Amino acid sequence: METVDEAKIIVRPFELWQAEWEHSLRQTIQRLNTVLSIGKSRGNYYRGIPVSNLIHEGRQAVQAKNREAASVCLILLEKLVEDLERVHRYSKLLFAHYKKRLRKVGEPEYRGLRFEIGTASAFIRQKVSFSGSIDTTRSEPDFTVRTDGGNVSVECTVCEVRETQASNVFFKIGASLRKKGSKIYAGVNTVIFVDATDLVYARMDDGNPHLLNQLSLRSDVSLILAELPIASAVLVMYVFEDSPITGRRYSRSYLRCDNKNGGSNAARCLNAFYPSGGDD
């Protein structure tokens, strides 16, 4: 499980907290500039890309004396830097691909790219043998995972839910899976990773307990998968949770849903790295 201790949120004089926050932000921006400027001369390479909004929103939150919102922005920025650094160590080509896309995508596309980077980083931490797609002109999956029995294709998508009705949640996740499941390379050894964070909050607002009714959600998704030529869906949720011991922490949890007609290679791969549900 990936967690970030948010001791910064512990109540203490605001001026002291602000000084620590600003110091952490400067360090994180320096790391971000370092990783984004690899192969170039020095400069502020975060400017003009969507991630700069995190910095702006964090500073606005500090001005409003909103410690929680400012700390969330800082943690999200720190996690992006960590993921980019990890990808760079794993594959210079994949890192260069993500860096180029970071400078081109607008705000609407940023979340999907961010999820793709986070998925690559999670694979690296778990020592998954994979390659990422770096040729945007070719129709190929986002990732190809290498297994002893053959390759497993992995696609990433984001399920965005604005409304809170359970029926809308089912429709939205179905649309996300069907779109990816219709790709020409989708098959019985294809796994779709879905950023399902919105489902957490949509279901909570709809009255269901935190974190989701997993049995109900798995049943709903299994009905959708039965219509598609893919093996499984892995729903990934990024959540800030409060702990009486450590304060606030940032976790990445997942829920695996299988198609009973899925391929054996995908099943073996998921059994090794994403066995059922929990934290990765």
Side-chain angles (χ1 to χ4, degrees), residues 56-276:
H56 177 66
E57 290 169 11
R59 285 173 169 156
Q60 281 189 321
V62 170
Q63 290 178 357
K65 296 189 175 182
N66 187 336
R67 302 186 192 204
E68 182 172 351
S71 296
V72 165
C73 290
L74 179 57
I75 289 173
L76 291 176
L77 187 64
E78 290 171 341
K79 295 306 298 177
L80 172 63
V81 173
E82 288 176 15
D83 288 346
L84 286 171
E85 290 172 339
R86 186 174 289 120
V87 171
H88 178 258
R89 290 191 296 269
Y90 179 80
S91 169
K92 303 298 187 292
L93 285 176
L94 186 58
F95 169 78
H97 172 68
Y98 288 150
K99 185 171 73 168
K100 182 178 180 180
R101 287 174 62 192
L102 273 173
R103 298 200 60 84
K104 287 187 174 182
V105 298
E107 193 65 38
E109 299 84 17
Y110 171 73
R111 184 174 172 187
L113 174 57
R114 178 65 186 93
F115 181 54
E116 196 174 321
I117 294 171
T119 301
S121 178
F123 284 173
I124 297 165
R125 284 190 296 102
Q126 294 170 298
K127 302 188 185 310
V128 176
S129 177
F130 77 97
S131 59
S133 173
I134 59 175
D135 187 349
T136 57
T137 65
R138 298 176 59 182
S139 182
E140 58 186 9
D142 295 323
F143 303 105
T144 299
V145 176
R146 297 177 288 271
T147 74
D148 292 340
N151 292 338
V152 175
S153 300
V154 174
E155 274 285 292
C156 294
T157 189
V158 176
C159 181
E160 294 186 294
V161 179
R162 303 298 182 196
E163 299 81 7
T164 59
Q165 292 77 17
S167 59
N168 186 66
V169 167
F170 184 80
F171 172 79
K172 288 285 189 177
I173 195 168
S176 297
L177 291 174
R178 291 186 182 97
K179 181 178 180 180
K180 291 294 184 178
S182 65
K183 299 286 187 179
I184 60 172
Y185 47 77
V188 295
N189 283 302
T190 297
V191 178
I192 300 178
F193 276 67
V194 184
D195 180 347
T197 303
D198 285 2
L199 304 190
V200 176
Y201 299 101
R203 290 288 180 116
M204 285 174 65
D205 292 342
D206 200 39
N208 289 313
H210 183 74
L211 286 166
L212 298 172
N213 182 329
Q214 292 195 1
L215 290 177
S216 174
L217 182 59
R218 183 176 277 127
S219 175
D220 289 348
V221 174
S222 294
L223 289 175
I224 300 169
L225 291 176
E227 308 170 10
L228 302 174
I230 59 174
S232 302
V234 177
L235 310 184
V236 180
M237 292 152 278
Y238 297 90
V239 182
F240 285 92
E241 298 175 305
D242 293 316
S243 165
I245 298 175
T246 62
R248 172 159 287 214
R249 71 179 189 178
Y250 177 75
S251 65
R252 184 181 192 269
S253 60
Y254 73 93
L255 179 68
R256 171 181 162 186
C257 307
D258 295 328
N259 183 342
K260 63 180 181 180
N261 298 317
S264 58
N265 289 343
R268 282 193 296 268
C269 177
L270 291 177
N271 288 341
F273 301 107
Y274 292 87
S276 177

